[in-house]
Each structure stands twice: as structure tokens, then as C-alpha cells.
Amino acid sequence: MMEQLRKLVVRYGDCEQKPVRFRPETWRSRLESHGAAHVLDIGVGCGSGSDGDRLIGRGDLAHLRDRVADDDPDSLRDLFVAVMIWGSGTTNGRGPRYTEAALSDARMPTVLRSTREAVRDGDLIEAYRQFALKGVGRSFFTKWFAAVDDRDAPCDRALILDDRVFSSLNALGWISWKAAGTRHWPTRYAAYVSSMHGWASSLGVTADWLEWLLFHLNGRVDEP
């Protein structure tokens, strides 16, 4: 597996993740009633595509994360909304609906605060165990984990584990429950994060770049 990963890193070493395009007007009605429509101003205007489209990147999420106040649940909510927008782009038409469902969930302030604290404490198993909001599954709440993790290297910072990354891992022959020694999902997620950081270190890349590469490949690890 490592040799295959090494070849992929060499092949795609000059590539990098691009900002995601989103359409503010498809989100506005879902956010306005929750006082979060201002998040749609994030990023920069897009020079192509439909009028009003914008681009949002990981740097925008990091900037918003750095402005979160510990005693301000609205700033955590705004970061969560930005993560959902970034994760949905223009390809996931259900993103706005699922985000509205989460915003309507009375558990949101507690869940966002407690999972952020767990991630920042390095307890990814507990963060995974605690996350429960309507409309938000693993593909998106692990994006939340990655977005709120502001710890310094060399710790194993949270990474995204969505279906595309999972497809690439499976294609490479890596099985999460075997690596974790259990079918317990929080433990499997922590095993994934630990494995990715180990592989990235051996390959001379960052773990979040390797995560993006697996996302980009979407299981197509054998393509020439």
C-alpha cells in the first residue's frame, strides 16, 4: 500500500486543492430565519459561472475559526454554516436543506461547543461519539472536526473522512475496522487519523494534503 501511495504522491505532488464555488442564493432562504445569512459573504466573488457565485477555501474557514469567541455560540454556528457551504459547493443540492435541519436542532449549541472542545483536547473518539445533529453525517461532521482543530503540529490533527476518501482507502486495501481492531466507528475514525499522519510523515507531505489527494482520486487509485 505504501508503495502505491508513494507513486500517487509523486504523480500528483504539484496539485493542490482549489477553492469551492457556491451559489449564495440557493442558501439564503435556509439561513435567514436563523440569523446566519451573513455567512454567505464569506470568500470572494467568482468571475465565472452564475451571477453572484462565490469561492470559499480552507483558508476562509481557518480565518473564521480564528475569530470564534469561546462565549459566543453564534460565532461557532457561523463557522459550522461555512463548513457546510464549503463541503457542499454546487454539487450537493441537499446541503442547504441539511444545514437548515441542523440549525433547527436544539442540540446545536451544546454539540458544537462540546465537540470543538474534545477536538482541541485531542480526544477525537469523544468528539465523534458526541456529534449528533439532524442532517449531518460523518462526511460533514468530520469536516467540522478538521475546521475547528487549531492545535499546533506535530499532533495528529483531525482530518476529513467522507465517502470519497473512504473509497480511495478501500481501493488501496486499507480497512478501517481492521486497522482499529473494532467496528466501533469513533475508534475507527481515530485510527484513520493516526494512520494518515503516519503515512504523510513517511511520504514527506502534510496529512491534510494527503486527505485531499484521496478525496480527489475518489477510489481511482490505479489510473495511469
Side-chain angles (χ1 to χ4, degrees):
M1 174 181 169
M2 281 302 295
E3 184 56 32
Q4 194 171 5
L5 263 181
R6 193 177 307 279
K7 290 178 180 178
L8 291 169
V9 167
V10 170
R11 184 184 308 163
Y12 293 95
D14 293 333
C15 300
E16 62 181 16
Q17 187 172 21
K18 293 180 172 59
V20 174
R21 182 166 58 88
F22 73 98
R23 196 155 293 151
E25 291 313 307
T26 65
W27 290 82
R28 194 169 304 280
S29 63
R30 303 284 187 174
L31 302 181
E32 282 180 335
S33 62
H34 298 280
H38 59 273
V39 180
L40 296 172
D41 294 331
I42 196 169
V44 296
C46 181
S48 60
S50 299
D51 290 343
D53 282 7
R54 298 184 68 79
L55 296 173
I56 178 175
R58 286 200 188 211
D60 296 303
L61 299 182
H63 178 68
L64 200 56
R65 178 195 66 210
D66 292 342
R67 292 164 53 193
V68 168
D70 291 337
D71 59 350
D72 180 12
D74 286 349
S75 61
L76 269 183
R77 177 208 61 198
D78 290 350
L79 176 57
F80 172 78
V81 169
V83 169
M84 295 295 287
I85 291 171
W86 175 74
S88 300
T90 57
T91 59
N92 187 344
R94 295 169 294 182
R97 174 161 53 90
Y98 289 161
T99 303
E100 183 179 33
L103 289 168
S104 301
D105 193 326
R107 297 172 294 180
M108 171 173 274
T110 299
V111 168
L112 296 186
R113 184 182 66 254
S114 64
T115 56
R116 174 177 177 252
E117 290 174 354
V119 167
R120 297 173 86 195
D121 287 341
D123 194 346
L124 300 184
I125 292 177
E126 184 63 14
Y128 196 110
R129 189 189 67 79
Q130 289 186 13
F131 200 100
L133 286 179
K134 293 176 183 177
V136 187
R138 183 194 69 238
S139 291
F140 277 87
F141 68 66
T142 57
K143 291 179 174 66
W144 167 252
F145 296 164
V148 298
D149 196 341
D150 57 359
R151 293 175 294 159
D152 294 328
C155 67
D156 291 353
R157 292 181 60 170
L159 298 169
I160 298 166
L161 181 56
D162 64 11
D163 292 342
R164 291 173 64 105
V165 173
F166 223 115
S167 178
S168 293
L169 289 169
N170 289 338
L172 288 165
W174 188 82
I175 309 300
S176 63
W177 68 266
K178 289 184 178 180
T182 177
R183 293 188 182 273
H184 181 242
W185 265 110
T187 305
R188 291 163 71 176
Y189 172 67
Y192 153 74
V193 172
S194 177
S195 297
M196 285 283 283
H197 279 274
W199 299 333
S201 179
S202 296
L203 295 167
V205 297
T206 64
D208 59 344
W209 183 87
L210 187 60
E211 167 217 287
W212 166 79
L213 177 60
L214 296 182
F215 171 86
H216 174 72
L217 293 172
N218 192 20
R220 301 184 301 272
V221 299
D222 295 320
E223 288 187 356

